[in-house]
Amino acid sequence: MSVRQSLLAILDRGACYGSQLRAEYERRTGVRVNVGQVYTTLERLERDGLIESIGVDDEAHVLWQPTAAGRDDARSWLAGASLAEGRDEVALKIALAVTLPGADVDGILSAQRAAVREALARVDEEGADAAPAAIVRAARRARLEADLRWLDEVEQLTVGAEPFGLSEERPRRGRPARSAV
């Protein structure tokens, strides 16, 4: 799953500092991420004009919020389909979306289902006769068919799921405020 996009999506819910973002990511996806990766990602997002610092909190943690471009980027990512190898990226994206108020989980599932069906149609159109190509095609078809069954299961799992806001629990670690230059 794209940590970059996930952090943007979480920031779209409210300003956070680095360790807080790390804790929110883990709370929402169940996946641990290195705090150094979070801070490096924040620096890149700032460089790319997708987030901005809005000052520091009362404990001198640098607070970040998305720019308009960052909000658009995060929302576009959530709404788009992913056909990356492996399901973990898609599963984590959907798990995150379920926790975000206002995320269109049904729309995400529909877009994903449509993308899988389209990819399945392309696989079925391929006319490879050679055994190696047929093996690869069969494997791809089997994964895509499994993805459709998995999406049906995920749809059932999301029924009644309640999104939640940012945690009031404040992680104790964080980068100190940047000094004014």
Side-chain angles (χ1 to χ4, degrees), residues 5-175:
Q5 297 305 120
S6 298
L7 296 182
L8 273 175
I10 293 168
L11 284 170
D12 196 24
R13 303 306 319 148
C16 295
Y17 58 92
S19 289
Q20 183 182 11
L21 275 170
R22 176 181 181 240
E24 287 292 335
Y25 179 87
E26 291 177 10
R27 183 170 76 103
R28 292 167 185 273
T29 66
V31 174
R32 296 187 64 83
V33 64
N34 182 301
V35 74
Q37 181 181 4
V38 170
Y39 285 108
T40 299
T41 301
L42 287 171
E43 289 167 0
R44 289 182 181 143
L45 288 168
E46 182 183 34
R47 177 200 67 204
D48 296 343
L50 299 174
I51 65 170
E52 60 191 357
S53 170
I54 58 167
V56 296
D57 67 8
D58 55 352
E59 295 179 28
H61 298 120
V62 177
L63 293 171
W64 300 97
Q65 73 177 12
T67 61
R71 288 184 197 287
D72 290 344
D73 195 289
R75 292 172 186 177
S76 175
W77 171 73
L78 275 173
S82 302
L83 284 178
E85 286 300 312
R87 235 178 302 185
D88 286 351
E89 172 128 0
V90 176
L92 292 173
K93 174 181 169 179
I94 295 168
L96 178 68
V98 167
T99 73
L100 298 172
D104 181 9
V105 176
D106 290 336
I108 293 167
L109 291 172
S110 292
Q112 190 64 36
R113 194 175 277 115
V116 170
R117 286 186 178 130
E118 183 179 311
L120 190 55
R122 284 193 309 271
V123 167
D124 289 339
E125 291 171 358
E126 296 170 2
D129 293 329
I135 290 168
V136 172
R137 191 175 97 206
R140 178 106 171 106
R141 183 185 317 104
R143 279 193 303 273
L144 291 166
E145 289 169 348
D147 283 349
L148 288 174
R149 289 189 302 276
W150 175 78
L151 286 167
D152 290 341
E153 183 179 347
V154 167
E155 187 170 40
Q156 295 303 311
L157 293 171
T158 63
V159 172
E162 293 290 326
F164 46 88
L166 295 175
S167 174
E168 296 295 320
E169 187 175 321
R170 308 292 269 179
R172 297 172 72 190
R173 301 178 79 178
R175 277 195 181 171

